[in-house]
Amino acid sequence: MTTPAPDPARARFAMLMAVRISAVLMVMGGMLIASDRFPSIAPPLAQWLGYAMMAIGFLELVIIVPMLHRRWRSPRDGDAQ
């Protein structure tokens, strides 16, 4: 018996979900840091760090995820190859 070849769609789906979850966690972590929930980070630095993390997470969610989705989509009938 031969083992079936692994489905690349399963790995791509897992990667998309991992990127989405990491983006959401980065935004939420940035919100926590910007709201001074961590006393070990100085307040002016905490706000800038939190805002930067939120911006990076949001851009990852809005730009990177759709880009990967378009790149990895299955070809449809009539699509140029």
Side-chain angles (χ1 to χ4, degrees):
M1 286 179 61
T2 62
T3 58
D7 187 15
R10 186 177 294 234
R12 291 175 181 171
F13 179 76
M15 180 61 93
L16 278 173
M17 290 299 114
V19 170
R20 283 181 180 148
I21 290 171
S22 70
V24 169
L25 289 176
M26 188 172 290
V27 170
M28 290 174 59
M31 291 166 83
L32 285 173
I33 291 172
S35 65
D36 295 331
R37 300 283 183 186
F38 298 102
S40 61
I41 303 173
L45 177 64
Q47 285 184 338
W48 285 106
L49 181 65
Y51 293 145
M53 282 181 64
M54 284 190 286
I56 291 170
F58 182 72
L59 289 175
E60 183 180 352
L61 194 60
V62 171
I63 293 173
I64 302 296
V65 170
M67 183 179 69
L68 288 174
H69 186 265
R70 275 191 303 266
R71 186 174 186 176
W72 288 341
R73 73 179 180 148
S74 299
R76 295 186 186 130
D77 293 334
D79 282 348
Q81 293 192 19

